[in-house]
């Protein structure tokens, strides 16, 4: 029971109580397992089939975390993005390389930006808020962003490639989507 694990639902919870309780239960079980408490056991290694034969682990490790610890603890899904910057992507690539795991055992998600966008201020222009020191043309080119990310990661491909957010115009978003399709056809995602 959730109460036995120390999770007590707030009495003011309404319809989303089931979702909150499930999220709390997963968090408590994962934390207990990572902290080595007896009786908790490892979290289930659940995946979802996102395409024929492509199974994505449901729990991923993202930014500002120690990816080495995640992989040593049994995690098998890492998340990164062009927008997170080179040093964060480099950390993900280094963790995969030093893990000793076959590349096929680690599911890697990355994201590219769709520019121009109404989000993230002047990032698409490669201005001072830009996390990656590349020219503005790279920010406006989904393919160039992916090539840059793969280079920084030190990998030839990722398992899942996403648009981080839509472009300001539908036509630009559709063009970015076609670039993702070309990347998939080329075996980069």
């Amino acid at each position: 029971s959730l109460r036995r694990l120390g999770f007590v639902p707030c009495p003011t919870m309404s319809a989303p109580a089931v979702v909150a309780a499930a999220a709390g239960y997963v968090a408590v079980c994962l934390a207990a397992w990572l902290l080595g408490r007896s009786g908790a056991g490892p979290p289930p290694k659940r995946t979802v089939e996102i395409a024929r034969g492509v199974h994505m682990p449901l729990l991923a490790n993202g930014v500002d975390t120690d990816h080495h610890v995640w992989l040593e603890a049994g995690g098998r899904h890492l998340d990164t993005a062009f927008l997170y910057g080179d040093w964060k992507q480099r950390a993900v690539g280094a963790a995969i390389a030093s893990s000793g795991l076959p590349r096929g055992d680690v599911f890697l998600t990355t994201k590219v930006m769709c520019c121009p966008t109404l989000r993230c201020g002047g990032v698409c222009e490669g201005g001072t808020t830009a996390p990656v020191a590349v020219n503005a043309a790279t920010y406006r080119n989904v393919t160039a962003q992916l090539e840059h990310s793969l280079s920084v990661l030190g990998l030839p491909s990722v398992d899942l490639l996403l648009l981080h957010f839509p472009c300001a115009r539908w036509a630009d978003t559709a063009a970015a989507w076609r670039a993702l399709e070309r990347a998939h056809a080329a075996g980069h995602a």
Side-chain angles (χ1 to χ4, degrees):
S1 113
L2 293 175
R3 290 185 195 281
R4 183 176 59 82
L5 293 171
F7 178 77
V8 180
C10 176
T12 60
M13 291 174 130
S14 58
V18 172
V19 173
Y25 179 75
V26 169
V28 168
C29 288
L30 182 60
W33 177 69
L34 289 173
L35 295 173
R37 289 189 177 164
S38 62
K45 294 189 185 211
R46 307 275 175 154
T47 63
V48 62
E49 189 171 20
I50 60 172
R52 190 174 317 187
V54 179
H55 297 270
M56 178 182 76
L58 292 175
L59 194 56
N61 189 27
V63 299
D64 292 332
T65 53
D66 190 340
H67 307 294
H68 298 278
V69 172
W70 176 252
L71 293 173
E72 288 172 10
R76 293 296 179 263
H77 184 177
L78 294 174
D79 175 82
T80 190
F82 178 81
L83 183 61
Y84 300 164
D86 287 356
W87 73 272
K88 290 183 181 180
Q89 290 193 97
R90 206 170 281 116
V92 169
I96 293 171
S98 67
S99 71
L101 295 167
R103 171 61 185 90
D105 288 358
V106 179
F107 192 93
L108 180 59
T109 298
T110 196
K111 298 168 284 297
V112 291
M113 300 186 327
C114 194
C115 289
T117 184
L118 301 176
R119 298 180 177 217
C120 299
V123 171
C124 287
E125 291 76 38
T128 57
T129 61
V132 182
V134 295
N135 62 38
T138 298
Y139 277 93
R140 291 188 297 270
N141 184 314
V142 168
T143 303
Q145 289 178 49
L146 175 60
E147 289 170 354
H148 181 85
S149 290
L150 292 174
S151 174
V152 171
L153 288 162
L155 298 169
S157 66
V158 296
D159 299 295
L160 179 61
L161 176 61
L162 304 170
L163 283 179
H164 214 142
F165 37 75
C167 286
R169 297 180 322 147
W170 171 246
D172 293 331
T173 302
W177 181 260
R178 286 189 296 277
L180 297 183
E181 289 178 328
R182 287 189 300 275
H184 175 69
H188 297 301

